[in-house]
Amino acid sequence: MADKPSQQSLDPSRRRFLKYTGTAIGGVVVGGVIGSAMSGGFKKNTAVPSTSPTPSGTPQEHLASDYNQAPMFFNQQQLQITEAAAERIFPKDDNGPGAAELGVAFYIDHQLASPWGVNARTYRMGPFVKGEVTQGDYLSIERHELITMGLNSLEETAKSKHSKGFVDITPEEKDAILTSMEKGEISVVNGITGKTFFNQFRTLVMEGVYSDPLYGGNKNMAGWKMRKYPGNQMSYITIIEKDQFVAMEPRSLHDHFVH
């Protein structure tokens, strides 16, 4: 009750201020809408100029982007050297894409970022002695160290011989360095030659070419298609009794995923 008289006795000058300012704000809003309608009409989705860079490619291309292809372990230089070396081991030719196009570098990167890269399930107690020729390698360092130090040896060898990084030298020069690695003529670290690195790296390249795309390589199953490998089929019951070879569209583990 005590407040009512004060509300009724609102200062006239304050009322005029509220009235005129309200009119002015309403005029701005309505004027803006009317102005927009007069200049551009009441169109929906009016294009607004953007200051951000326009992404390349069509929407369909973006939908088809492989978001699995991003480095998880390598830095940019290591990823480039890996891609360049892998392409020389499995190059593109008339039969189909090479290691670079198949995403092999990402396969190797993802493996090194996994427990496999730190020899998580491997017996790791010494002594670390050189085994017989018929025995496999037993290294004192972890797999991710072997690969990264091997890549560093490729880079250092290329710079010492050609004054360029490994990525920038010619295919023939890359092949010569990789051959020296394969023969064990280049040292990776004390007690470990390039031969150990090369054998492990070559194995990773072939795995990246032919493993399920789930792991980052064999992009679009192109590695399987070159070999007419059917991939992961649920059944062969309809063709198992046929005498001739039956070409099948390959299927990956992703094709059986139901969500």
Side-chain angles (χ1 to χ4, degrees), residues 41-119:
F42 290 96
K43 295 180 178 178
K44 294 182 179 179
N45 301 324
T46 302
V48 178
S50 174
T51 56
S52 59
T54 303
S56 59
T58 64
Q60 288 74 19
E61 289 172 340
H62 285 290
L63 289 175
S65 297
D66 187 350
Y67 295 101
N68 191 32
Q69 290 205 338
M72 300 168 64
F73 177 82
F74 285 143
N75 59 36
Q76 191 69 22
Q77 182 189 37
Q78 291 169 337
L79 188 69
Q80 291 174 343
I81 297 172
T82 299
E83 187 173 84
E87 181 68 16
R88 296 312 307 157
I89 293 174
F90 195 90
K92 179 179 181 179
D93 60 15
D94 295 337
N95 294 316
E101 193 172 341
L102 289 168
V104 168
F106 292 103
Y107 169 82
I108 297 174
D109 171 85
H110 296 356
Q111 290 300 305
L112 296 181
S114 73
W116 183 86
V118 295
N119 301 44

Coordinates of all heavy atoms in Angstrom, one line a residue, residues 41-119:
G41 N 14.3 -7.7 -49.2 CA 13.1 -8.6 -49.1 C 13.2 -9.5 -47.9 O 14.2 -9.6 -47.2
F42 N 12.1 -10.3 -47.6 CA 12.1 -11.2 -46.5 C 12.6 -12.5 -46.9 O 11.9 -13.5 -46.8 CB 10.7 -11.2 -45.9 CG 10.2 -10.0 -45.2 CD1 9.5 -9.0 -45.9 CD2 10.6 -9.7 -43.9 CE1 9.1 -7.9 -45.2 CE2 10.2 -8.6 -43.3 CZ 9.5 -7.6 -43.9
K43 N 13.7 -12.6 -47.4 CA 14.3 -13.9 -47.8 C 14.9 -14.6 -46.7 O 15.5 -14.0 -45.8 CB 15.3 -13.7 -48.9 CG 14.8 -13.1 -50.2 CD 15.9 -12.9 -51.2 CE 15.3 -12.3 -52.5 NZ 16.4 -12.1 -53.5
K44 N 14.7 -15.9 -46.7 CA 15.4 -16.8 -45.7 C 16.8 -17.1 -46.2 O 17.0 -17.1 -47.4 CB 14.6 -18.1 -45.5 CG 13.2 -17.8 -44.8 CD 12.5 -19.1 -44.6 CE 11.2 -18.9 -43.9 NZ 10.5 -20.2 -43.7
N45 N 17.6 -17.4 -45.2 CA 19.0 -17.9 -45.5 C 19.7 -16.8 -46.4 O 20.4 -17.2 -47.3 CB 19.0 -19.2 -46.2 CG 18.3 -20.3 -45.4 OD1 18.4 -20.3 -44.2 ND2 17.6 -21.2 -46.1
T46 N 19.5 -15.6 -46.0 CA 20.2 -14.5 -46.7 C 21.7 -14.8 -46.6 O 22.2 -14.9 -45.4 CB 19.9 -13.2 -46.2 OG1 18.5 -13.0 -46.3 CG2 20.6 -12.1 -47.0
A47 N 22.5 -14.8 -47.6 CA 23.9 -15.0 -47.6 C 24.6 -13.9 -46.8 O 24.3 -12.7 -47.1 CB 24.4 -15.1 -49.0
V48 N 25.4 -14.3 -45.9 CA 26.2 -13.3 -45.1 C 27.6 -13.5 -45.5 O 28.2 -14.6 -45.4 CB 26.0 -13.5 -43.6 CG1 26.8 -12.6 -42.8 CG2 24.5 -13.4 -43.3
P49 N 28.3 -12.4 -45.9 CA 29.7 -12.5 -46.3 C 30.5 -13.0 -45.1 O 30.3 -12.6 -44.0 CB 30.1 -11.1 -46.7 CG 28.8 -10.4 -47.0 CD 27.8 -11.1 -46.2
S50 N 31.4 -14.0 -45.3 CA 32.2 -14.5 -44.2 C 33.6 -14.1 -44.4 O 34.2 -14.0 -45.5 CB 32.1 -16.1 -44.3 OG 33.0 -16.6 -43.3
T51 N 34.2 -13.8 -43.3 CA 35.7 -13.4 -43.3 C 36.6 -14.6 -43.2 O 37.8 -14.5 -43.3 CB 36.0 -12.4 -42.2 OG1 35.6 -12.9 -41.0 CG2 35.2 -11.1 -42.5
S52 N 36.0 -15.7 -42.8 CA 36.8 -16.9 -42.6 C 37.1 -17.6 -43.9 O 36.3 -17.5 -44.9 CB 36.1 -17.9 -41.7 OG 34.8 -18.3 -42.3
P53 N 38.2 -18.3 -44.0 CA 38.6 -18.9 -45.3 C 37.5 -19.9 -45.7 O 37.0 -20.7 -44.9 CB 39.9 -19.7 -45.0 CG 40.4 -19.0 -43.8 CD 39.2 -18.5 -43.0
T54 N 37.2 -20.0 -47.0 CA 36.2 -20.9 -47.5 C 36.9 -22.3 -47.7 O 37.9 -22.4 -48.3 CB 35.7 -20.5 -48.9 OG1 35.2 -19.2 -48.8 CG2 34.7 -21.4 -49.4
P55 N 36.3 -23.3 -47.0 CA 36.9 -24.7 -47.1 C 36.8 -25.2 -48.6 O 35.9 -24.9 -49.3 CB 36.0 -25.5 -46.2 CG 34.9 -24.7 -45.7 CD 35.1 -23.3 -46.2
S56 N 37.9 -25.9 -49.0 CA 37.9 -26.4 -50.4 C 37.1 -27.7 -50.4 O 36.9 -28.4 -49.5 CB 39.3 -26.6 -50.8 OG 39.9 -27.6 -49.9
G57 N 36.7 -28.0 -51.6 CA 36.0 -29.3 -51.8 C 34.5 -29.1 -51.7 O 34.0 -28.1 -51.1
T58 N 33.7 -30.0 -52.3 CA 32.3 -30.0 -52.2 C 31.8 -30.6 -50.9 O 32.6 -31.2 -50.2 CB 31.7 -30.8 -53.3 OG1 32.1 -32.2 -53.1 CG2 32.2 -30.4 -54.7
P59 N 30.6 -30.3 -50.5 CA 30.1 -30.9 -49.2 C 30.2 -32.4 -49.2 O 30.5 -33.1 -48.2 CB 28.6 -30.5 -49.2 CG 28.6 -29.2 -50.0 CD 29.6 -29.4 -51.0
Q60 N 30.0 -33.0 -50.4 CA 30.1 -34.5 -50.5 C 31.5 -34.9 -50.2 O 31.7 -36.0 -49.6 CB 29.7 -35.0 -51.9 CG 28.2 -34.9 -52.2 CD 27.7 -33.4 -52.4 OE1 28.5 -32.6 -52.7 NE2 26.4 -33.2 -52.3
E61 N 32.5 -34.1 -50.6 CA 33.9 -34.5 -50.4 C 34.2 -34.4 -48.9 O 34.9 -35.2 -48.3 CB 34.8 -33.6 -51.2 CG 34.8 -33.9 -52.7 CD 35.6 -32.8 -53.5 OE1 35.8 -31.7 -52.9 OE2 35.9 -33.2 -54.6
H62 N 33.6 -33.4 -48.2 CA 33.8 -33.2 -46.8 C 33.2 -34.4 -46.0 O 33.7 -34.9 -45.0 CB 33.3 -31.9 -46.3 CG 34.1 -30.8 -46.7 ND1 35.4 -30.5 -46.1 CD2 33.9 -29.8 -47.6 CE1 35.9 -29.5 -46.7 NE2 35.0 -29.0 -47.6
L63 N 32.0 -34.8 -46.5 CA 31.3 -35.9 -45.8 C 32.2 -37.2 -46.0 O 32.2 -38.1 -45.1 CB 29.9 -36.2 -46.4 CG 28.9 -35.1 -46.1 CD1 27.6 -35.4 -46.9 CD2 28.6 -35.1 -44.6
A64 N 32.9 -37.3 -47.1 CA 33.7 -38.5 -47.3 C 35.1 -38.4 -46.7 O 35.9 -39.2 -46.9 CB 33.9 -38.7 -48.8
S65 N 35.4 -37.3 -46.0 CA 36.7 -37.1 -45.4 C 37.0 -38.2 -44.4 O 36.1 -38.7 -43.7 CB 36.8 -35.8 -44.7 OG 36.6 -34.7 -45.6
D66 N 38.2 -38.7 -44.3 CA 38.6 -39.7 -43.4 C 39.2 -39.0 -42.2 O 40.4 -38.7 -42.2 CB 39.6 -40.6 -44.1 CG 39.9 -41.9 -43.2 OD1 39.5 -41.8 -42.1 OD2 40.6 -42.8 -43.7
Y67 N 38.4 -38.9 -41.2 CA 38.9 -38.2 -40.0 C 39.9 -39.1 -39.1 O 40.4 -38.7 -38.1 CB 37.7 -37.8 -39.1 CG 36.9 -36.7 -39.8 CD1 35.7 -37.1 -40.4 CD2 37.3 -35.4 -39.9 CE1 35.0 -36.1 -41.1 CE2 36.6 -34.5 -40.5 CZ 35.4 -34.8 -41.1 OH 34.7 -33.9 -41.8
N68 N 40.1 -40.4 -39.6 CA 41.0 -41.2 -38.9 C 42.5 -40.9 -39.3 O 43.4 -41.3 -38.7 CB 40.7 -42.7 -39.2 CG 41.5 -43.6 -38.4 OD1 41.8 -43.3 -37.2 ND2 41.9 -44.8 -38.9
Q69 N 42.6 -40.1 -40.4 CA 43.9 -39.8 -40.9 C 44.4 -38.5 -40.3 O 44.3 -37.4 -40.9 CB 43.9 -39.7 -42.5 CG 43.7 -41.1 -43.1 CD 44.2 -41.2 -44.5 OE1 44.4 -40.2 -45.2 NE2 44.5 -42.4 -45.0
A70 N 44.9 -38.6 -39.1 CA 45.6 -37.5 -38.5 C 46.7 -38.1 -37.6 O 46.5 -39.2 -37.0 CB 44.6 -36.7 -37.6
P71 N 47.8 -37.4 -37.5 CA 48.9 -38.0 -36.7 C 48.6 -38.0 -35.2 O 48.1 -37.1 -34.6 CB 50.1 -37.1 -37.0 CG 49.5 -35.8 -37.4 CD 48.2 -36.1 -38.1
M72 N 48.9 -39.2 -34.6 CA 48.7 -39.4 -33.2 C 50.1 -39.5 -32.4 O 50.1 -39.3 -31.2 CB 47.9 -40.6 -32.9 CG 46.5 -40.6 -33.5 SD 45.8 -42.3 -33.5 CE 45.6 -42.6 -31.8
F73 N 51.1 -39.8 -33.2 CA 52.5 -40.0 -32.6 C 53.5 -39.1 -33.3 O 54.3 -38.4 -32.6 CB 52.8 -41.4 -32.6 CG 54.2 -41.7 -32.1 CD1 54.4 -41.8 -30.8 CD2 55.3 -41.8 -33.0 CE1 55.7 -42.1 -30.2 CE2 56.6 -42.0 -32.5 CZ 56.8 -42.2 -31.1
F74 N 53.6 -39.1 -34.6 CA 54.6 -38.4 -35.3 C 54.4 -36.9 -35.3 O 53.3 -36.4 -35.2 CB 54.6 -38.9 -36.8 CG 55.2 -40.2 -37.1 CD1 54.6 -41.0 -38.0 CD2 56.3 -40.7 -36.4 CE1 55.1 -42.3 -38.3 CE2 56.8 -41.9 -36.7 CZ 56.2 -42.7 -37.6
N75 N 55.5 -36.2 -35.4 CA 55.4 -34.8 -35.7 C 55.3 -34.7 -37.3 O 55.4 -35.7 -38.0 CB 56.5 -34.0 -35.2 CG 57.9 -34.4 -35.7 OD1 58.0 -34.9 -36.8 ND2 58.9 -34.4 -34.8
Q76 N 55.1 -33.5 -37.8 CA 54.9 -33.3 -39.2 C 56.0 -33.8 -40.1 O 55.8 -34.5 -41.1 CB 54.6 -31.8 -39.5 CG 54.1 -31.6 -40.9 CD 52.7 -32.1 -41.1 OE1 52.0 -32.3 -40.2 NE2 52.3 -32.3 -42.4
Q77 N 57.3 -33.6 -39.6 CA 58.4 -34.0 -40.4 C 58.5 -35.5 -40.4 O 58.8 -36.1 -41.5 CB 59.7 -33.4 -39.8 CG 61.0 -33.7 -40.6 CD 62.2 -33.3 -40.0 OE1 62.4 -33.4 -38.7 NE2 63.2 -32.8 -40.7
Q78 N 58.4 -36.1 -39.3 CA 58.4 -37.6 -39.2 C 57.4 -38.2 -40.1 O 57.6 -39.3 -40.7 CB 58.3 -38.0 -37.7 CG 59.5 -37.7 -36.8 CD 59.1 -37.9 -35.4 OE1 58.0 -37.9 -35.0 NE2 60.2 -38.0 -34.6
L79 N 56.2 -37.7 -40.1 CA 55.1 -38.2 -40.9 C 55.5 -38.1 -42.4 O 55.2 -39.0 -43.2 CB 53.8 -37.5 -40.6 CG 52.6 -38.1 -41.3 CD1 52.2 -39.4 -40.6 CD2 51.4 -37.1 -41.2
Q80 N 56.1 -37.0 -42.8 CA 56.5 -36.8 -44.2 C 57.6 -37.8 -44.6 O 57.5 -38.3 -45.7 CB 56.9 -35.4 -44.4 CG 55.7 -34.4 -44.3 CD 56.2 -32.9 -44.4 OE1 57.4 -32.6 -44.3 NE2 55.3 -32.0 -44.7
I81 N 58.6 -38.0 -43.7 CA 59.6 -38.9 -44.1 C 59.1 -40.3 -44.1 O 59.4 -41.1 -45.0 CB 60.8 -38.8 -43.0 CG1 61.4 -37.4 -43.0 CG2 61.8 -39.9 -43.2 CD1 62.4 -37.2 -41.8
T82 N 58.2 -40.7 -43.2 CA 57.6 -42.0 -43.3 C 56.8 -42.2 -44.6 O 57.0 -43.3 -45.2 CB 56.6 -42.1 -42.1 OG1 57.4 -42.0 -40.8 CG2 55.9 -43.5 -42.1
E83 N 56.1 -41.2 -45.0 CA 55.3 -41.4 -46.2 C 56.2 -41.5 -47.4 O 56.0 -42.3 -48.3 CB 54.4 -40.1 -46.4 CG 53.4 -40.3 -47.5 CD 52.4 -39.1 -47.5 OE1 52.8 -38.0 -48.1 OE2 51.3 -39.3 -47.0
A84 N 57.3 -40.7 -47.4 CA 58.2 -40.8 -48.6 C 58.9 -42.1 -48.6 O 59.1 -42.7 -49.7 CB 59.2 -39.6 -48.5
A85 N 59.4 -42.6 -47.5 CA 60.1 -43.9 -47.5 C 59.2 -45.0 -47.8 O 59.5 -46.0 -48.5 CB 60.8 -44.1 -46.1
A86 N 57.9 -45.0 -47.3 CA 57.0 -46.1 -47.5 C 56.6 -46.1 -49.0 O 56.4 -47.2 -49.6 CB 55.7 -45.8 -46.7
E87 N 56.5 -44.9 -49.6 CA 56.1 -44.9 -51.0 C 57.2 -45.5 -51.9 O 56.9 -46.1 -53.0 CB 55.9 -43.5 -51.5 CG 55.5 -43.3 -52.9 CD 54.1 -43.8 -53.3 OE1 53.3 -44.1 -52.3 OE2 53.8 -44.0 -54.4
R88 N 58.5 -45.5 -51.5 CA 59.5 -46.1 -52.3 C 59.5 -47.6 -52.1 O 59.9 -48.4 -53.0 CB 60.9 -45.6 -51.8 CG 61.1 -44.1 -52.1 CD 60.7 -43.7 -53.5 NE 61.4 -44.6 -54.5 CZ 60.9 -44.7 -55.7 NH1 59.8 -44.2 -56.1 NH2 61.6 -45.5 -56.6
I89 N 59.0 -48.1 -50.9 CA 58.9 -49.6 -50.7 C 57.7 -50.1 -51.4 O 57.7 -51.2 -51.9 CB 58.9 -49.8 -49.2 CG1 60.2 -49.5 -48.5 CG2 58.5 -51.3 -48.9 CD1 60.2 -49.5 -47.0
F90 N 56.6 -49.4 -51.4 CA 55.4 -49.8 -52.1 C 54.9 -48.6 -53.0 O 54.0 -47.9 -52.6 CB 54.3 -50.2 -51.1 CG 53.1 -51.0 -51.7 CD1 53.2 -52.3 -51.7 CD2 52.1 -50.3 -52.2 CE1 52.1 -53.1 -52.3 CE2 51.0 -51.0 -52.8 CZ 51.1 -52.4 -52.8
P91 N 55.6 -48.5 -54.2 CA 55.2 -47.3 -55.0 C 54.0 -47.5 -55.8 O 53.5 -48.6 -56.1 CB 56.5 -47.3 -55.9 CG 56.9 -48.7 -56.0 CD 56.6 -49.3 -54.7
K92 N 53.4 -46.4 -56.2 CA 52.3 -46.4 -57.1 C 52.7 -46.8 -58.5 O 53.7 -46.5 -59.0 CB 51.7 -45.0 -57.2 CG 50.5 -44.8 -58.1 CD 50.0 -43.4 -58.0 CE 48.7 -43.2 -58.9 NZ 48.2 -41.8 -58.9
D93 N 51.9 -47.7 -59.1 CA 52.2 -48.1 -60.5 C 50.8 -48.4 -61.2 O 49.8 -47.9 -60.7 CB 53.1 -49.3 -60.5 CG 52.5 -50.5 -59.8 OD1 51.2 -50.5 -59.5 OD2 53.2 -51.5 -59.5
D94 N 50.9 -49.1 -62.3 CA 49.7 -49.3 -63.1 C 48.7 -50.2 -62.4 O 47.5 -50.2 -62.8 CB 50.1 -49.9 -64.4 CG 50.9 -49.0 -65.3 OD1 50.8 -47.8 -65.1 OD2 51.6 -49.5 -66.2
N95 N 49.1 -50.9 -61.4 CA 48.2 -51.8 -60.7 C 47.4 -51.1 -59.7 O 46.3 -51.6 -59.2 CB 49.0 -52.9 -60.0 CG 49.7 -53.8 -61.0 OD1 49.1 -54.2 -61.9 ND2 51.0 -54.1 -60.7
G96 N 47.8 -49.9 -59.2 CA 47.0 -49.2 -58.3 C 47.8 -48.2 -57.4 O 49.0 -47.9 -57.8
P97 N 47.2 -47.7 -56.4 CA 47.9 -46.7 -55.6 C 49.1 -47.2 -54.8 O 49.2 -48.4 -54.6 CB 46.8 -46.2 -54.6 CG 45.9 -47.4 -54.5 CD 45.9 -48.0 -55.9
G98 N 50.0 -46.3 -54.4 CA 51.1 -46.6 -53.6 C 50.8 -46.4 -52.1 O 49.7 -46.1 -51.7
A99 N 51.9 -46.6 -51.3 CA 51.7 -46.5 -49.8 C 51.2 -45.1 -49.4 O 50.4 -45.0 -48.5 CB 53.1 -46.8 -49.2
A100 N 51.7 -44.0 -50.1 CA 51.2 -42.7 -49.7 C 49.7 -42.5 -49.8 O 49.1 -42.1 -48.9 CB 52.0 -41.6 -50.5
E101 N 49.2 -42.9 -51.0 CA 47.8 -42.8 -51.2 C 47.0 -43.7 -50.4 O 45.8 -43.4 -50.1 CB 47.5 -43.1 -52.7 CG 46.1 -42.7 -53.2 CD 46.0 -42.8 -54.7 OE1 47.0 -42.8 -55.4 OE2 44.8 -42.8 -55.1
L102 N 47.6 -44.8 -50.0 CA 46.8 -45.8 -49.1 C 46.8 -45.4 -47.7 O 46.2 -46.1 -46.8 CB 47.5 -47.2 -49.3 CG 47.2 -47.9 -50.7 CD1 48.1 -49.1 -50.8 CD2 45.8 -48.3 -50.8
G103 N 47.5 -44.4 -47.3 CA 47.5 -43.9 -45.9 C 48.4 -44.8 -45.0 O 48.2 -44.8 -43.8
V104 N 49.5 -45.4 -45.6 CA 50.3 -46.3 -44.8 C 51.0 -45.5 -43.6 O 51.2 -46.0 -42.5 CB 51.4 -47.0 -45.7 CG1 52.4 -47.6 -44.9 CG2 50.7 -48.0 -46.6
A105 N 51.4 -44.2 -43.9 CA 52.1 -43.4 -42.9 C 51.2 -43.3 -41.6 O 51.7 -43.3 -40.5 CB 52.5 -42.1 -43.4
F106 N 49.9 -43.2 -41.8 CA 49.0 -43.0 -40.7 C 48.8 -44.4 -40.0 O 48.7 -44.4 -38.8 CB 47.6 -42.5 -41.2 CG 47.7 -41.1 -41.7 CD1 47.6 -40.8 -43.0 CD2 47.8 -40.0 -40.8 CE1 47.7 -39.5 -43.5 CE2 47.8 -38.7 -41.2 CZ 47.8 -38.5 -42.6
Y107 N 48.9 -45.5 -40.7 CA 48.8 -46.8 -40.1 C 50.0 -46.9 -39.1 O 49.9 -47.3 -38.0 CB 48.9 -47.9 -41.1 CG 49.1 -49.2 -40.5 CD1 48.0 -49.9 -39.9 CD2 50.4 -49.8 -40.4 CE1 48.3 -51.2 -39.3 CE2 50.6 -51.0 -39.8 CZ 49.6 -51.7 -39.3 OH 49.8 -52.9 -38.7
I108 N 51.2 -46.6 -39.6 CA 52.4 -46.7 -38.8 C 52.3 -45.8 -37.6 O 52.7 -46.1 -36.5 CB 53.7 -46.4 -39.7 CG1 53.8 -47.5 -40.8 CG2 54.9 -46.4 -38.8 CD1 54.9 -47.2 -41.8
D109 N 51.9 -44.5 -37.9 CA 51.8 -43.6 -36.8 C 50.8 -44.1 -35.7 O 51.2 -44.0 -34.5 CB 51.2 -42.3 -37.3 CG 50.8 -41.3 -36.3 OD1 51.7 -40.5 -35.8 OD2 49.6 -41.3 -35.9
H110 N 49.7 -44.7 -36.1 CA 48.7 -45.2 -35.1 C 49.3 -46.4 -34.3 O 49.0 -46.5 -33.1 CB 47.4 -45.6 -35.8 CG 46.7 -44.4 -36.4 ND1 47.2 -43.1 -36.3 CD2 45.6 -44.3 -37.2 CE1 46.4 -42.3 -36.9 NE2 45.4 -43.0 -37.5
Q111 N 50.1 -47.2 -35.0 CA 50.7 -48.4 -34.3 C 51.7 -47.9 -33.3 O 51.7 -48.4 -32.2 CB 51.4 -49.3 -35.3 CG 50.4 -50.0 -36.2 CD 49.4 -50.9 -35.5 OE1 49.8 -51.7 -34.7 NE2 48.1 -50.7 -35.7
L112 N 52.5 -46.9 -33.6 CA 53.5 -46.4 -32.6 C 52.8 -45.7 -31.5 O 53.4 -45.6 -30.4 CB 54.4 -45.4 -33.3 CG 55.3 -46.1 -34.5 CD1 56.2 -45.0 -35.1 CD2 56.1 -47.3 -33.9
A113 N 51.6 -45.2 -31.7 CA 50.9 -44.5 -30.6 C 50.2 -45.5 -29.7 O 49.7 -45.2 -28.6 CB 49.9 -43.5 -31.1
S114 N 50.1 -46.8 -30.1 CA 49.4 -47.8 -29.4 C 50.4 -48.5 -28.4 O 51.6 -48.3 -28.4 CB 48.8 -48.8 -30.4 OG 49.9 -49.6 -30.9
P115 N 49.8 -49.4 -27.6 CA 50.7 -50.2 -26.7 C 51.8 -50.9 -27.4 O 52.9 -51.2 -26.9 CB 49.7 -51.1 -26.0 CG 48.5 -50.4 -25.9 CD 48.4 -49.6 -27.3
W116 N 51.5 -51.3 -28.7 CA 52.6 -52.0 -29.5 C 53.8 -51.1 -29.6 O 54.9 -51.7 -29.6 CB 52.0 -52.3 -30.9 CG 52.9 -53.1 -31.7 CD1 53.1 -54.4 -31.8 CD2 53.9 -52.5 -32.7 NE1 54.1 -54.7 -32.7 CE2 54.6 -53.6 -33.3 CE3 54.2 -51.2 -33.1 CZ2 55.5 -53.4 -34.2 CZ3 55.2 -51.0 -34.0 CH2 55.8 -52.1 -34.6
G117 N 53.7 -49.8 -29.7 CA 54.8 -49.0 -29.9 C 55.8 -48.9 -28.7 O 56.9 -48.6 -28.9
V118 N 55.3 -49.3 -27.5 CA 56.1 -49.3 -26.3 C 56.4 -50.7 -25.8 O 56.7 -50.9 -24.7 CB 55.5 -48.4 -25.2 CG1 55.5 -47.0 -25.6 CG2 54.1 -48.9 -24.8
N119 N 56.2 -51.7 -26.7 CA 56.4 -53.1 -26.4 C 55.7 -53.5 -25.2 O 56.2 -54.3 -24.3 CB 57.9 -53.3 -26.2 CG 58.7 -53.0 -27.4 OD1 58.5 -51.9 -28.0 ND2 59.7 -53.8 -27.8

